[in-house]
PDB file of all heavy atoms in Angstrom:
ATOM      1  N   GLN A  69      -6.162  14.488   3.012  1.00  0.00           N
ATOM      2  CA  GLN A  69      -5.992  15.257   1.791  1.00  0.00           C
ATOM      3  C   GLN A  69      -7.336  15.907   1.463  1.00  0.00           C
ATOM      4  O   GLN A  69      -8.387  15.249   1.499  1.00  0.00           O
ATOM      5  CB  GLN A  69      -5.570  14.351   0.633  1.00  0.00           C
ATOM      6  CG  GLN A  69      -5.357  15.107  -0.667  1.00  0.00           C
ATOM      7  CD  GLN A  69      -4.911  14.195  -1.801  1.00  0.00           C
ATOM      8  OE1 GLN A  69      -4.929  12.978  -1.679  1.00  0.00           O
ATOM      9  NE2 GLN A  69      -4.500  14.790  -2.882  1.00  0.00           N
ATOM     10  N   ASN A  70      -7.298  17.197   1.158  1.00  0.00           N
ATOM     11  CA  ASN A  70      -8.498  17.931   0.719  1.00  0.00           C
ATOM     12  C   ASN A  70      -9.694  17.716   1.644  1.00  0.00           C
ATOM     13  O   ASN A  70     -10.796  17.412   1.197  1.00  0.00           O
ATOM     14  CB  ASN A  70      -8.869  17.559  -0.709  1.00  0.00           C
ATOM     15  CG  ASN A  70      -7.779  17.921  -1.689  1.00  0.00           C
ATOM     16  OD1 ASN A  70      -7.044  18.874  -1.477  1.00  0.00           O
ATOM     17  ND2 ASN A  70      -7.649  17.125  -2.736  1.00  0.00           N
ATOM     18  N   ARG A  71      -9.467  17.848   2.945  1.00  0.00           N
ATOM     19  CA  ARG A  71     -10.527  17.718   3.956  1.00  0.00           C
ATOM     20  C   ARG A  71     -11.187  16.341   3.952  1.00  0.00           C
ATOM     21  O   ARG A  71     -12.367  16.184   4.249  1.00  0.00           O
ATOM     22  CB  ARG A  71     -11.552  18.835   3.843  1.00  0.00           C
ATOM     23  CG  ARG A  71     -10.910  20.188   4.064  1.00  0.00           C
ATOM     24  CD  ARG A  71     -11.799  21.254   4.625  1.00  0.00           C
ATOM     25  NE  ARG A  71     -12.599  20.913   5.784  1.00  0.00           N
ATOM     26  CZ  ARG A  71     -12.194  20.973   7.055  1.00  0.00           C
ATOM     27  NH1 ARG A  71     -10.973  21.326   7.355  1.00  0.00           N
ATOM     28  NH2 ARG A  71     -13.009  20.683   8.037  1.00  0.00           N
ATOM     29  N   GLN A  72     -10.413  15.334   3.612  1.00  0.00           N
ATOM     30  CA  GLN A  72     -10.824  13.942   3.734  1.00  0.00           C
ATOM     31  C   GLN A  72      -9.728  13.168   4.473  1.00  0.00           C
ATOM     32  O   GLN A  72      -8.562  13.506   4.362  1.00  0.00           O
ATOM     33  CB  GLN A  72     -11.057  13.281   2.372  1.00  0.00           C
ATOM     34  CG  GLN A  72     -12.317  13.749   1.682  1.00  0.00           C
ATOM     35  CD  GLN A  72     -12.608  12.895   0.466  1.00  0.00           C
ATOM     36  OE1 GLN A  72     -11.708  12.564  -0.306  1.00  0.00           O
ATOM     37  NE2 GLN A  72     -13.871  12.539   0.298  1.00  0.00           N
ATOM     38  N   ALA A  73     -10.151  12.148   5.211  1.00  0.00           N
ATOM     39  CA  ALA A  73      -9.197  11.308   5.925  1.00  0.00           C
ATOM     40  C   ALA A  73      -9.307   9.888   5.433  1.00  0.00           C
ATOM     41  O   ALA A  73     -10.403   9.391   5.194  1.00  0.00           O
ATOM     42  CB  ALA A  73      -9.474  11.361   7.431  1.00  0.00           C
ATOM     43  N   LEU A  74      -8.169   9.251   5.267  1.00  0.00           N
ATOM     44  CA  LEU A  74      -8.087   7.829   4.971  1.00  0.00           C
ATOM     45  C   LEU A  74      -7.631   7.140   6.239  1.00  0.00           C
ATOM     46  O   LEU A  74      -6.637   7.546   6.839  1.00  0.00           O
ATOM     47  CB  LEU A  74      -7.093   7.565   3.843  1.00  0.00           C
ATOM     48  CG  LEU A  74      -6.662   6.101   3.644  1.00  0.00           C
ATOM     49  CD1 LEU A  74      -7.845   5.255   3.156  1.00  0.00           C
ATOM     50  CD2 LEU A  74      -5.485   6.016   2.687  1.00  0.00           C
ATOM     51  N   ILE A  75      -8.340   6.104   6.651  1.00  0.00           N
ATOM     52  CA  ILE A  75      -7.961   5.312   7.804  1.00  0.00           C
ATOM     53  C   ILE A  75      -7.950   3.854   7.370  1.00  0.00           C
ATOM     54  O   ILE A  75      -8.928   3.357   6.794  1.00  0.00           O
ATOM     55  CB  ILE A  75      -8.920   5.502   8.996  1.00  0.00           C
ATOM     56  CG1 ILE A  75      -9.016   6.986   9.344  1.00  0.00           C
ATOM     57  CG2 ILE A  75      -8.451   4.701  10.208  1.00  0.00           C
ATOM     58  CD1 ILE A  75     -10.147   7.324  10.280  1.00  0.00           C
ATOM     59  N   VAL A  76      -6.827   3.173   7.592  1.00  0.00           N
ATOM     60  CA  VAL A  76      -6.640   1.791   7.182  1.00  0.00           C
ATOM     61  C   VAL A  76      -6.225   0.979   8.402  1.00  0.00           C
ATOM     62  O   VAL A  76      -5.331   1.390   9.146  1.00  0.00           O
ATOM     63  CB  VAL A  76      -5.541   1.658   6.101  1.00  0.00           C
ATOM     64  CG1 VAL A  76      -5.374   0.208   5.669  1.00  0.00           C
ATOM     65  CG2 VAL A  76      -5.821   2.551   4.917  1.00  0.00           C
ATOM     66  N   ALA A  77      -6.847  -0.181   8.588  1.00  0.00           N
ATOM     67  CA  ALA A  77      -6.417  -1.134   9.614  1.00  0.00           C
ATOM     68  C   ALA A  77      -5.932  -2.384   8.888  1.00  0.00           C
ATOM     69  O   ALA A  77      -6.628  -2.928   8.032  1.00  0.00           O
ATOM     70  CB  ALA A  77      -7.552  -1.477  10.565  1.00  0.00           C
ATOM     71  N   LEU A  78      -4.737  -2.822   9.244  1.00  0.00           N
ATOM     72  CA  LEU A  78      -4.090  -3.969   8.604  1.00  0.00           C
ATOM     73  C   LEU A  78      -3.933  -5.049   9.653  1.00  0.00           C
ATOM     74  O   LEU A  78      -3.346  -4.816  10.710  1.00  0.00           O
ATOM     75  CB  LEU A  78      -2.746  -3.578   8.034  1.00  0.00           C
ATOM     76  CG  LEU A  78      -1.891  -4.652   7.406  1.00  0.00           C
ATOM     77  CD1 LEU A  78      -2.553  -5.229   6.159  1.00  0.00           C
ATOM     78  CD2 LEU A  78      -0.515  -4.090   7.058  1.00  0.00           C
ATOM     79  N   SER A  79      -4.467  -6.249   9.366  1.00  0.00           N
ATOM     80  CA  SER A  79      -4.436  -7.334  10.366  1.00  0.00           C
ATOM     81  C   SER A  79      -3.153  -8.155  10.349  1.00  0.00           C
ATOM     82  O   SER A  79      -2.890  -8.865  11.319  1.00  0.00           O
ATOM     83  CB  SER A  79      -5.626  -8.266  10.153  1.00  0.00           C
ATOM     84  OG  SER A  79      -5.463  -9.033   8.985  1.00  0.00           O
ATOM     85  N   HIS A  80      -2.392  -8.118   9.287  1.00  0.00           N
ATOM     86  CA  HIS A  80      -1.177  -8.918   9.122  1.00  0.00           C
ATOM     87  C   HIS A  80      -1.481 -10.413   9.085  1.00  0.00           C
ATOM     88  O   HIS A  80      -0.567 -11.236   9.180  1.00  0.00           O
ATOM     89  CB  HIS A  80      -0.132  -8.605  10.203  1.00  0.00           C
ATOM     90  CG  HIS A  80       0.291  -7.186  10.186  1.00  0.00           C
ATOM     91  ND1 HIS A  80       1.199  -6.686   9.301  1.00  0.00           N
ATOM     92  CD2 HIS A  80      -0.101  -6.126  10.958  1.00  0.00           C
ATOM     93  CE1 HIS A  80       1.375  -5.397   9.522  1.00  0.00           C
ATOM     94  NE2 HIS A  80       0.581  -5.044  10.516  1.00  0.00           N
ATOM     95  N   GLN A  81      -2.733 -10.788   8.962  1.00  0.00           N
ATOM     96  CA  GLN A  81      -3.133 -12.197   8.855  1.00  0.00           C
ATOM     97  C   GLN A  81      -3.141 -12.578   7.381  1.00  0.00           C
ATOM     98  O   GLN A  81      -3.929 -12.020   6.610  1.00  0.00           O
ATOM     99  CB  GLN A  81      -4.530 -12.397   9.477  1.00  0.00           C
ATOM    100  CG  GLN A  81      -5.044 -13.801   9.427  1.00  0.00           C
ATOM    101  CD  GLN A  81      -4.213 -14.743  10.301  1.00  0.00           C
ATOM    102  OE1 GLN A  81      -3.681 -14.357  11.316  1.00  0.00           O
ATOM    103  NE2 GLN A  81      -4.108 -15.971   9.864  1.00  0.00           N
ATOM    104  N   PRO A  82      -2.271 -13.503   6.957  1.00  0.00           N
ATOM    105  CA  PRO A  82      -2.271 -13.886   5.552  1.00  0.00           C
ATOM    106  C   PRO A  82      -3.525 -14.676   5.183  1.00  0.00           C
ATOM    107  O   PRO A  82      -4.240 -15.170   6.053  1.00  0.00           O
ATOM    108  CB  PRO A  82      -1.023 -14.761   5.433  1.00  0.00           C
ATOM    109  CG  PRO A  82      -0.777 -15.268   6.799  1.00  0.00           C
ATOM    110  CD  PRO A  82      -1.304 -14.237   7.758  1.00  0.00           C
ATOM    111  N   GLY A  83      -3.768 -14.747   3.916  1.00  0.00           N
ATOM    112  CA  GLY A  83      -4.931 -15.483   3.432  1.00  0.00           C
ATOM    113  C   GLY A  83      -5.999 -14.532   2.944  1.00  0.00           C
ATOM    114  O   GLY A  83      -5.916 -13.336   3.117  1.00  0.00           O
TER     115      GLY A  83
END
Side-chain angles (χ1 to χ4, degrees):
Q69 181 179 10
N70 298 329
R71 299 208 48 85
Q72 287 189 317
L74 166 67
I75 305 167
V76 180
L78 176 65
S79 71
H80 300 280
Q81 180 66 32

